[in-house]
Amino acid sequence: MPPTMSSFSPATRIAPSILSADFARLGEEVRNVVAAGADWIHFDVMDNHYVPNLTIGPMVCAAIRPHVDVPIDVHLMVEPVDELVPQFAKAGANIISFHPEATRHVDRTLGLIRDHGCKAGLVFNPATPLDYMDYVMDKLDVVLVMSVNPGFGGQSFLHSALRKLRDARARIDRWTLEGGQHIALEVDGGVKVDNIGEIRAAGADTFVAGSAIFGHPDYAAIIGAMREQIARAGTLSA
């Protein structure tokens, strides 16, 4: 049975990126990481056009859907976007996010995602201004701030992302105070145990981690350690 998006309800969420998983046993990998405490599965789609890499598509999404009962969070690093939206919705995606530079009509693409029953998100590269989000807040469910330049896993965290996260958090908080819907603030790139607390303090509530989780022999231990740092950051900022 597909998950409901009540899975947005936890205050913070950890979303392992399967880009770093063992693809020879992907079903087992996603089952294990969910059993270890993952809230979402992050699914990176690259087309060797928008970014210089080629990864996975709707068939793989459909293949892992029966293995997990948590949301599948699809990050489209592709251009154009709109033709893939219905394919991923049909394949079992719950959240579909894209880069504003990759579509001619940001508002229309967000509407298309929602029309297909998915939550909609915008993704901001390190050099992409957040201004796009101001004009489509009513259609946003997720804002994803990239803390690396997209295309490859295993990169180091760019500390300039902390400033952008604080800016995005302020915009989201203003929106919700004015009666707007909940918008998750996600971060992706170089997230590890030793920096996740600082990232949380900057305002992120959803954390994508690939090699930091799948490169560790004990998924539950590493996810638990991340949650400890997230909780500590929340206590210090309270």
Side-chain angles (χ1 to χ4, degrees), residues 124-174:
F124 294 91
N125 287 334
T128 303
L130 292 173
D131 297 0
Y132 287 98
M133 66 185 283
D134 294 338
Y135 301 94
V136 292
M137 295 291 279
D138 60 316
K139 289 186 172 69
L140 283 178
D141 300 293
V142 177
V143 169
L144 172 53
V145 171
M146 295 300 298
S147 43
V148 297
N149 285 293
F152 298 94
Q155 298 184 65
S156 297
F157 182 82
L158 296 174
H159 285 270
S160 58
L162 296 173
R163 183 173 66 252
K164 183 172 279 190
L165 283 167
R166 287 190 287 268
D167 187 354
R169 170 51 60 198
R171 295 177 193 227
I172 290 169
D173 287 349
R174 282 196 299 270

Side-chain angles (χ1 to χ4, degrees), residues 3 52 55 97 122 134 154 204 213 226:
T55 58
S97 301
L122 275 185
D134 294 338
I213 293 176
M226 287 179 169

Side-chain angles (χ1 to χ4, degrees), residues 20-21 29 210-219 222:
S20 298
E29 286 276 72
S211 56
I213 293 176
F214 285 107
H216 194 278
D218 187 333
Y219 298 163
I222 194 67

Side-chain angles (χ1 to χ4, degrees), residues 15 19 23 34 39 42 75-76 110 121 147 168 171 175 185 188 200-201 205 208 233 238:
L19 188 63
F23 274 67
V34 169
D39 300 292
H42 191 75
H75 173 194
L76 295 179
L110 289 169
S147 43
R171 295 177 193 227
W175 173 254
L185 180 54
D188 182 3
R200 170 59 175 158
D205 54 41
V208 177

